[in-house]
Amino acid sequence: MVNIDRDKLIGHINNLEDKEEIKRVIDKVEIVLNRYLITSTDFLNPHELNLAISVLNRFKNEVFFEIDGGYYGAENCIIYLYPHYELNIPKRDIDIFRFDSNSTIKHSDVLGSLLGLGIERKKIGDILIDKKYTYFFVKNEISNFIEISLNKISKYNISLEPVEKISTLPKKEYIYKNIFVASPRIDNIVSSFCNVSRSVAKDKIKSGDVKVNFAVEYRPHFEVNAKDLISVRKFGRFRIEEFKRKTKKGNIVLSIKYNK
């Protein structure tokens, strides 16, 4: 029976939530090593994937792994783990659903309705919206429940349909705008994007409601860089495109983009 020293493997990880997530990945490693089974993780964001891969590489001669999000270029993915002697493992742990798109239904509405059913966020992958269909990806262990239970998004009735794959990926459309900040500190940027006071922005950051490149950032004084992806709980997310210029009053003009 293999017992892995988790604390030794995750000693380099500072964030408590990240530690707990990687411990769950290590649980899967033990299943492969002790029971010789093929298994998979829940959905991980790119930051969590990088942490998981750094740990899984310690077992590269015993445990093989593959990453899958349900389509090429997926942001949130699961990791299949399997014994080194297995070949051509079946990838059946992700299911895809779609419904007719509604111009008023946004990404946050879909996610909110799924979470409102009591589903854990980690069981839900990417959500893709185009003019014809809205798609979302889930772990197949909850598919039957979703198919029975999800008949409304926000206040709109929907007809849910399982699909095998997406033949054409929706084209992402963005809104571009400029914001003005005194400095590239994260509290200034959150304040400007969310149209809240700087003190409210600081509270959000200290409460763990803000992520930079998928990692929770607790420091209001943290300075962002061009191309950083920032998400604020209940306000959405945006990417810093570039630092454009300084105004005569010394403020910085930032170009940002976010999904329509």
Side-chain angles (χ1 to χ4, degrees):
M1 177 71 71
V2 176
N3 290 305
I4 299 171
D5 186 344
R6 287 160 173 72
D7 292 334
K8 183 177 180 180
L9 281 176
I10 64 174
H12 64 291
I13 301 174
N14 296 318
N15 182 270
L16 183 59
E17 291 181 10
D18 290 341
K19 283 180 181 286
E20 293 303 314
E21 192 59 56
I22 302 307
K23 282 182 180 179
R24 286 189 280 272
V25 174
I26 297 172
D27 290 342
K28 302 292 184 179
V29 173
E30 285 190 342
I31 289 173
V32 176
L33 292 175
N34 291 321
R35 299 168 61 187
Y36 310 107
L37 297 176
I38 299 169
T39 186
S40 67
T41 68
D42 287 337
F43 285 98
L44 305 174
N45 66 40
H47 169 68
E48 293 164 338
L49 282 170
N50 287 334
L51 293 176
I53 290 169
S54 71
V55 169
L56 292 173
N57 283 336
R58 309 280 187 94
F59 303 93
K60 61 184 178 181
N61 294 323
E62 302 168 281
V63 178
F64 285 8
F65 66 91
E66 295 183 35
I67 297 170
D68 181 32
Y71 69 100
Y72 178 76
E75 182 176 284
N76 296 283
C77 298
I78 68 172
I79 303 176
Y80 288 96
L81 299 92
Y82 53 97
H84 63 89
Y85 52 79
E86 292 281 0
L87 298 173
N88 299 317
I89 64 165
K91 295 180 179 178
R92 301 171 181 164
D93 290 0
I94 297 177
D95 284 339
I96 311 169
F97 288 98
R98 76 180 183 189
F99 59 88
D100 292 341
S101 289
N102 177 325
S103 60
T104 61
I105 294 179
K106 298 181 174 62
H107 180 285
S108 58
D109 297 320
V110 181
L111 180 59
S113 294
L114 288 167
L115 296 178
L117 296 175
I119 296 171
E120 294 179 49
R121 178 64 181 92
K122 290 296 181 182
K123 303 296 182 184
I124 307 166
D126 285 2
I127 298 169
L128 304 176
I129 300 175
D130 70 10
K131 292 180 180 178
K132 187 172 184 180
Y133 293 115
T134 294
Y135 300 88
F136 62 88
F137 300 75
V138 297
K139 288 296 293 286
N140 68 352
E141 65 204 59
I142 62 170
S143 292
N144 288 340
F145 173 72
I146 287 175
E147 197 164 3
I148 294 170
S149 305
L150 188 65
N151 49 41
K152 183 175 286 191
I153 301 289
S154 185
K155 61 182 180 180
Y156 302 99
N157 293 326
I158 63 164
S159 179
L160 205 58
E161 176 187 6
V163 294
E164 289 294 320
K165 62 180 181 178
I166 300 179
S167 55
T168 303
L169 289 177
K171 183 180 179 181
K172 293 184 178 180
E173 297 183 354
Y174 298 100
I175 295 173
Y176 293 83
K177 67 180 290 188
N178 291 335
I179 62 173
F180 299 82
V181 293
S183 77
R185 286 173 46 130
I186 188 66
D187 57 349
N188 284 326
I189 292 170
V190 169
S191 172
S192 181
F193 176 76
C194 299
N195 195 27
V196 297
S197 69
R198 193 170 166 192
S199 62
V200 169
K202 285 183 177 180
D203 289 341
K204 287 186 173 298
I205 294 164
K206 292 177 180 179
S207 297
D209 288 343
V210 176
K211 292 182 179 180
V212 178
N213 299 324
F214 301 98
V216 177
E217 181 53 67
Y218 293 100
R219 299 167 295 173
H221 63 273
F222 176 82
E223 294 192 355
V224 304
N225 296 301
K227 305 308 177 184
D228 279 348
L229 182 67
I230 300 168
S231 61
V232 185
R233 188 172 296 167
K234 296 184 179 180
F235 284 86
R237 69 183 188 181
F238 59 97
R239 188 178 296 278
I240 305 293
E241 283 295 282
E242 63 174 326
F243 292 75
K244 297 185 74 171
R245 66 181 190 277
K246 278 194 172 183
T247 67
K248 292 180 179 180
K249 294 183 177 180
N251 289 324
I252 301 170
V253 182
L254 295 181
S255 172
I256 68 170
K257 75 174 184 180
Y258 51 93
N259 290 337
K260 276 189 175 181

